[in-house]
Amino acid sequence: MMQRAAKVILLLVGSALLVLGAAIPKDIMAVLEKIDKNNANYKTAKASLEFRMQVGPMSQTLKGELWVDNTTGKFKANMGEGPMFSTIVYDGEFLWTYSPMTKEYTKTQLPSQTIREGIFFFMPISIALAPICKKTFTSQNFLSTLGKSSLSKTILNKKNAHLITFTDKNDGSVVKIVVDAKEYKVLQVSMIPPGGQGEMIFKVTSLESNPSLPEGTFAFTPPPGAKEYAPPKEENLEGQPAPDFSLPSLNGKTYKLSDLKGKVVLLDFWATWCPPCREELPIIEKLHQEFKDKNLVVLGISNEDRQTIENFLKNNRLTFPILIDEREKVGKSYKVVAIPRVLLIDKTGKIRKDILGYNPKNEEILRELIERLSKE
């Protein structure tokens, strides 16, 4: 759970890098504006919901409760019960997650503006919070991801409702919003992840608007005996020999690092769900095009399944090989804890540059070093 929480936080921070996408049809935009206008009436809100995860014939349902203060951006979510119980709290300064099963918690300092701008990307709690958060569906960070969209009529809980369906233009995931056609209260939000396998469904079972919330609702104190989760440390590998590996690519060819001695090799560890990775991919592609005939081999490495990657590449053309590391053996040998992670290996097989995270300046740093190494 804690490793997934770390990925979630990376998603949240990276969401600010997304740019405005295609225009939204006027009829759909009108519904979104009415949802946010209704939600703006909630200074505080309390909601109960059912969370159902469906994967093929298997289904699991959990219940949860949400509390939101839209004047401060603070929120609290309790999900599940027994060993599946978890808590997420944002107290205005720190984002806390806690799992009683492992007795571990995380504590991440995040500005309220970051939370507000990135709320819809804070999966999966963002989907649950969306029905009661102010200015979620008309925020630029949400609209910027939208590709194809449609609006239709449906019935839920014996109420006439609108069904809005969006496809994420970056990874192909699908978001469905069911909203009461009369009051424009969100009744259900669901997400089908990239690849179309499974669905997360958040159904609002009760909603209390502007309740008086007890003092301390959004405070979190680690319970006695709880320990702060310590993620594995990212080790910089510069100056070390690059661990050899052999991995299949999407086109069926197997790449072995030791076969590339005499060439400069750039490894890019990335994933479709990672916004900073997606932001950096055009730079990696640009370097590939610029140096592919000058002794540079670029290899993208992802631990996702083939279908997810292929769906992403339908809308994001990359010409360098993408290798599949589903069991994460190569990622572990390179001590990859967070992504994006780019390593530049010289002709002798030594790691000369190890860069964690995305920064626009990475392009200049990598280009200068590639030019130098290609001449050595």
Side-chain angles (χ1 to χ4, degrees):
M1 172 188 171
M2 295 301 166
Q3 288 180 331
R4 289 198 297 271
K7 291 181 178 180
V8 160
I9 291 166
L10 183 60
L11 267 173
L12 177 64
V13 175
S15 67
L17 300 171
L18 299 169
V19 295
L20 189 61
I24 309 302
K26 290 183 178 179
D27 58 345
I28 294 177
M29 196 66 206
V31 175
L32 296 178
E33 289 173 347
K34 288 179 180 179
I35 295 174
D36 277 351
K37 183 178 180 181
N38 179 70
N39 285 14
N41 295 322
Y42 305 151
K43 292 183 178 179
T44 59
K46 178 181 178 181
S48 297
L49 57 81
E50 286 183 355
F51 167 52
R52 186 167 77 253
M53 171 68 80
Q54 292 182 244
V55 180
M58 300 183 65
S59 177
Q60 184 177 32
T61 300
L62 300 173
K63 293 184 178 181
E65 287 189 300
L66 308 172
W67 298 263
V68 169
D69 184 338
N70 277 320
T71 63
T72 63
K74 298 177 182 180
F75 64 83
K76 178 180 179 180
N78 286 339
M79 294 293 297
E81 57 186 1
M84 299 297 292
F85 181 82
S86 62
T87 294
I88 297 179
V89 178
Y90 180 63
D91 62 13
E93 182 180 6
F94 294 98
L95 180 71
W96 302 82
T97 70
Y98 176 63
S99 169
M101 182 174 66
T102 61
K103 293 186 177 181
E104 291 181 316
Y105 67 90
T106 65
K107 178 184 178 183
T108 306
Q109 189 167 20
L110 289 173
S112 60
Q113 186 65 25
T114 301
I115 291 285
R116 290 175 186 273
E117 291 178 351
I119 187 63
F120 208 88
F121 300 90
F122 182 54
M123 299 291 184
I125 290 298
S126 62
I127 301 181
L129 287 168
I132 54 178
C133 279
K134 183 172 64 175
K135 199 172 174 57
T136 295
F137 296 106
T138 55
S139 70
Q140 181 170 317
N141 278 330
F142 173 57
L143 298 178
S144 68
T145 69
L146 305 184
K148 296 179 181 179
S149 57
S150 65
L151 176 64
S152 59
K153 295 181 180 180
T154 188
I155 295 177
L156 185 65
N157 301 340
K158 299 181 179 181
K159 294 182 179 180
N160 293 325
H162 297 296
L163 169 61
I164 308 174
T165 303
F166 293 112
T167 301
D168 189 299
K169 66 183 179 66
N170 293 305
D171 63 15
S173 60
V174 175
V175 175
K176 298 179 181 180
I177 306 164
V178 181
V179 55
D180 186 311
K182 183 179 180 180
E183 298 182 326
Y184 289 90
K185 293 181 178 180
V186 176
L187 304 175
Q188 181 174 287
V189 183
S190 62
M191 176 191 174
I192 300 173
Q197 297 181 353
E199 184 172 10
M200 293 187 296
I201 303 169
F202 291 83
K203 182 179 180 181
V204 179
T205 56
S206 70
L207 174 61
E208 185 179 352
S209 59
N210 298 314
S212 178
L213 299 178
E215 185 177 350
T217 296
F218 305 106
F220 180 84
T221 301
K227 295 182 179 179
E228 185 169 4
Y229 171 72
K233 291 184 179 180
E234 196 84 37
E235 181 181 342
N236 190 291
L237 302 181
E238 288 178 12
Q240 299 185 29
D244 195 16
F245 63 81
S246 179
L247 283 177
S249 66
L250 286 178
N251 63 14
K253 181 178 178 180
T254 296
Y255 286 81
K256 188 173 183 180
L257 183 63
S258 56
D259 290 341
L260 300 176
K261 287 283 182 67
K263 296 181 180 294
V264 179
V265 179
L266 186 154
L267 302 182
D268 178 24
F269 290 90
W270 68 285
T272 63
W273 53 260
C274 167
C277 299
R278 298 199 299 258
E279 187 76 10
E280 189 167 56
L281 283 173
I283 291 176
I284 304 300
E285 173 67 19
K286 186 177 179 181
L287 292 171
H288 167 64
Q289 292 292 343
E290 187 174 342
F291 293 99
K292 64 181 180 180
D293 297 324
K294 300 178 182 179
N295 247 356
L296 175 71
V297 176
V298 175
L299 301 175
I301 301 178
S302 175
N303 62 13
E304 297 174 288
D305 64 89
R306 174 183 293 272
Q307 190 62 53
T308 296
I309 301 171
E310 289 180 343
N311 286 343
F312 174 82
L313 293 178
K314 288 178 182 178
N315 299 313
N316 300 271
R317 186 171 181 268
L318 301 174
T319 61
F320 57 86
I322 303 298
L323 312 187
I324 305 173
D325 185 27
E326 281 193 279
R327 297 184 179 180
E328 299 187 55
K329 287 186 177 180
V330 176
K332 290 177 182 177
S333 69
Y334 281 83
K335 304 185 187 307
V336 175
V337 175
I339 53 176
R341 176 97 173 271
V342 175
L343 297 101
L344 199 59
I345 302 168
D346 67 18
K347 296 177 184 179
T348 68
K350 180 184 291 186
I351 298 173
R352 299 291 290 272
K353 197 67 181 177
D354 186 347
I355 301 176
L356 172 64
Y358 169 69
N359 188 311
K361 294 181 181 180
N362 291 352
E363 179 179 359
E364 181 181 350
I365 294 171
L366 289 169
R367 176 176 285 104
E368 290 181 357
L369 187 52
I370 290 170
E371 288 178 343
R372 179 153 51 87
L373 293 179
S374 63
K375 296 175 182 178
E376 289 184 353

